[in-house]
Amino acid sequence: DVKVTQSSRYLVKRTGEKVFLECVQDMDHENMFWYRQDPGLGLRLIYFSYDVKMKEKGDIPEGYSVSREKKERFSLILESASTNQTSMYLCASILGGGSYNEQFFGPGTRLTVL
Amino acid sequence: GNSVTQMEGPVTLSEEAFLTINCTYTATGYPSLFWYVQYPGEGLQLLLKATKADDKGSNKGFEATYRKETTSFHLEKGSVQVSDSAVYFCALSDHPNDYKLSFGAGTTVTVRA
């Protein structure tokens, strides 16, 4: 089974802290994504990566950055956390070869910024 | 741009009731369409998909048909169970090599015994 794991299920941070959210997939997928999930808004794409060291902005990249140094790992960084970044963060990955393939999601990290 | 509109919830049903969740979309190309489900405390998982017009996706008793003429992909199940309680997301990706998904807002479904 494909597995996408995220480093924490719950995280509480203070305003201004630098926050790292880690995601690891074990199926050699080329493509990885970070979404945030908010009630009534569905999932919104923050950043994605098609390959190692490659990244592209999604729909809401402001206040976030990412790092992909190894194929299996995709990190989301909040340089200076703010209360409006309190949310559920979901990582996903997909094999290449066409969008017909399934995106596999991690269990999510619920981040609270105080 | 791409967008997905799905019926607002929450939806509360009794066991064995019929479930329909409406989903319509706007896309610049010829999208693939998906329904994802999120059970309590879990990430999303693919429920079903359709990649061309008139395709019917089905899984776990759920069905959805890709209707290009009405730009719709409504989810249906004839007899729901308590275990179907979850949040359901309609999503699209715009063309074969665009892996980005555009999601609807999600519909929370609660099934009571």
Side-chain angles (χ1 to χ4, degrees), chain A residues 92-105:
Chain A
S93 71
I94 186 172
L95 189 63
S99 63
Y100 314 127
N101 295 325
E102 174 182 354
Q103 276 199 25
F104 290 89
F105 284 80

Side-chain angles (χ1 to χ4, degrees), chain B residues 58-71:
Chain B
S58 61
N59 187 24
K60 298 183 181 180
F62 290 88
E63 293 182 341
T65 300
Y66 189 141
R67 300 286 187 204
K68 195 163 187 281
E69 64 276 13
T70 54
T71 61

Side-chain angles (χ1 to χ4, degrees), chain A residues 45-103:
Chain A
L45 182 64
I46 304 172
Y47 266 97
F48 60 101
S49 170
Y50 287 149
D51 202 349
V52 175
K53 296 192 187 293
M54 180 277 179
K55 60 186 178 186
E56 287 195 28
K57 293 179 180 178
D59 299 318
I60 51 163
E62 295 79 19
Y64 303 95
S65 62
V66 290
S67 172
R68 191 157 181 211
E69 296 296 319
K70 294 184 178 181
K71 192 174 185 180
E72 67 271 18
R73 187 180 297 270
F74 192 35
S75 302
L76 180 69
I77 304 155
L78 287 65
E79 294 290 342
S80 177
S82 63
T83 54
N84 63 12
Q85 292 178 310
T86 292
S87 187
M88 171 72 87
Y89 291 87
L90 292 168
C91 176
S93 71
I94 186 172
L95 189 63
S99 63
Y100 314 127
N101 295 325
E102 174 182 354
Q103 276 199 25

Side-chain angles (χ1 to χ4, degrees), chain A residues 9 31 33 35 37 40-43 45 48 50 90 94-103 105-107, chain B residues 32 34 36 38 41-46 49 51 87 89 93 95-101 103-106:
Chain A
R9 294 298 300 268
N31 310 283
F33 305 81
Y35 297 91
Q37 180 183 3
L41 297 177
L43 277 73
L45 182 64
F48 60 101
Y50 287 149
L90 292 168
I94 186 172
L95 189 63
S99 63
Y100 314 127
N101 295 325
E102 174 182 354
Q103 276 199 25
F105 284 80
Chain B
S32 297
F34 305 84
Y36 279 81
Q38 184 179 35
E42 299 183 12
L44 276 70
Q45 56 186 271
L46 181 66
K49 68 181 181 185
T51 57
V87 184
F89 293 92
S93 65
H95 56 83
N97 292 316
D98 183 353
Y99 305 113
K100 301 192 296 290
L101 286 170
F103 284 89

